[in-house]
Every structure is written in structure tokens, then in C-alpha cells.
């Protein structure tokens, strides 16, 4: 079994999961066990960026949105659940992480007796974090923007992000990594808008484009932006 480290921010995250269960009328032993199971999965090797620190950041962005944009979310519980599950399964060498994470979410939520429509909404939100180009609407915009908030953070935070992503893809030879990572970064830069909500666009769009361009330029010189 792959080595597992102690999940960071466990108490804070489990408290959030419990509060979510209470809000949904599902604060049961099974619900609590699922929270612990999720945290263990989020802490699995070889995660360096897509870990419990990222989950915590996403949930904090969600709380800020709810505080500053009351009523903006149609189903805030579904958004929170999607954030909990969106990287629940993450193997850098797999192309099926989102699908497997989405299926895990749907299976558990249906097993807990939550409405089918809500479980399917969570499933779709998780699938939307594949970040494939295409139109999104409603709460999906918020889920995706929260997941991409890292792109518009300070230079120092973004540099650490690039270091951590490289750590996750340690098994990819450098020339291939440069090509693949450059394609990802360029793909975001080529979009008319990185963020789909005005809230995130106003706060992070400009800095995200600066960060992406710097990282892309460094890769073009054969270096990691760190």
C-alpha cells in the first residue's frame, strides 16, 4: 500500500465535513467515516499540490464567496461536496481521476439517501474540474473558478505551486514535462477568460495571466518557474 502521511489541517477539515453533514441531515457515523476516508485519500502519495492544503484553500474560497456574494450559489451544499470530492482520487499518471472521483461521490451520496438530482449535480461539478474548454453555467462556474484560484495568487505562492506540480510528475522526463506543462499553461492563456465569474475575474485574472506567462517563459528556457 502506498505510503500515507498524516493529512494536514485534519481537525479543521473534519469539522467542515461534519457541519456539511449536519446541514444535510446526514451527520451519522457513516458520514464521519467518509470524511476520514476522504482525508486519507487526499493525503496519499505522491500528492504535493493536490492535497489537503488545496482542499482547505478551496473550502476557504467557498466560504469567502458565500460571505461576500450571498445568494450567488444555487446549491452551496452541492458545491461544497464537489470540492471535497473533486480530487479525492488523484494519480498523476491517470487520465480518469475526475471520473473516478465523481463516481465515488455519487455512490456515497446516493447511499446516504440524498436526492438523486443533488448527487448527479455533484457528479457533474466534479467532472467539470477537468477544465476542458466549453461553456459552463450556474454553480459549475464557481466550482471551476475556486479550483483555479491558485493561478491568480501571489508570485511566491504560484512559484510553490509550480514546484509542487513538478514533484507530482516526478516520473515524467524533463523534456516531456516541459512540452506537456507548456501546453497546459498555454491552453489557459489562450482562453478569452480564465475565470468564468466576475468575482474571480476581477480578483485574479490579471495576476493569473502574469503568473502563467512567467512560468511559460521559464519552461521555454528549459527551467522550472521556482
Amino acid at each position: 500500500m502506498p505510503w500515507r502521511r498524516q493529512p494536514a489541517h485534519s481537525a479543521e477539515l473534519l469539522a467542515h465535513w461534519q457541519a456539511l453533514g449536519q446541514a444535510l441531515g446526514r451527520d451519522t457515523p457513516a458520514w464521519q467515516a467518509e470524511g476520514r476516508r476522504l482525508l486519507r485519500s487526499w493525503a496519499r502519495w505522491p500528492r504535493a499540490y493536490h492535497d489537503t492544503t488545496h482542499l482547505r484553500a478551496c473550502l476557504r474560497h467557498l466560504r469567502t464567496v458565500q460571505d461576500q456574494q450571498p445568494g450567488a450559489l444555487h446549491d452551496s451544499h452541492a458545491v461544497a461536496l464537489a470540492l471535497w470530492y473533486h480530487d479525492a482520487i488523484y494519480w498523476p499518471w491517470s487520465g480518469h481521476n475526475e471520473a473516478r472521483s465523481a463516481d465515488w461521490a455519487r455512490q456515497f451520496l446516493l447511499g446516504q439517501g440524498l436526492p438523486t438530482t443533488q448527487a448527479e449535480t455533484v457528479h457533474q461539478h466534479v467532472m467539470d474540474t477537468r477544465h476542458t474548454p466549453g461553456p459552463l453555467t450556474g454553480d459549475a462556474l464557481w466550482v471551476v473558478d475556486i479550483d483555479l484560484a491558485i493561478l491568480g495568487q501571489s508570485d511566491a505562492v504560484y512559484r510553490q505551486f509550480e514546484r509542487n506540480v513538478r514533484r507530482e510528475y516526478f516520473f515524467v522526463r524533463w523534456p516531456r514535462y516541459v512540452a506537456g506543462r507548456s501546453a497546459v499553461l498555454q491552453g489557459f492563456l489562450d482562453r478569452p477568460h480564465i475565470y468564468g465569474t466576475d468575482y474571480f475575474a476581477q480578483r485574479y485574472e490579471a495576476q493569473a495571466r502574469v503568473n502563467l506567462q512567467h512560468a511559460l517563459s521559464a519552461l521555454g528556457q528549459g527551467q522550472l518557474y521556482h
Side-chain angles (χ1 to χ4, degrees), residues 61-77 79 125 137-143 145-146 196-200 203:
H61 281 298
L62 172 60
R63 184 174 63 193
T64 300
V65 168
Q66 291 177 292
D67 289 343
Q68 298 186 9
Q69 300 281 306
L73 302 176
H74 174 69
D75 184 349
S76 62
H77 299 325
V79 171
H125 285 341
T137 59
D139 286 351
L141 291 168
W142 291 102
V143 173
D145 278 5
I146 287 171
T197 64
D198 289 341
Y199 178 90
F200 276 88
R203 286 161 176 77

Side-chain angles (χ1 to χ4, degrees), residues 12 16 26 30 55 81 84 87 113 148 156 158 164 203 217 226:
E12 178 183 338
H16 182 280
R26 297 296 187 279
L55 172 59
L81 287 166
W84 266 95
D87 286 325
L148 294 179
Y158 185 85
N164 287 340
R203 286 161 176 77
S217 297
H226 66 287

Side-chain angles (χ1 to χ4, degrees), residues 95 98-99 124-133 144 147 191:
E98 291 85 2
Q124 185 57 53
H125 285 341
V126 174
M127 293 299 290
D128 288 336
T129 64
R130 291 175 296 177
H131 303 300
T132 54
V144 170
D147 190 29
R191 296 185 182 189

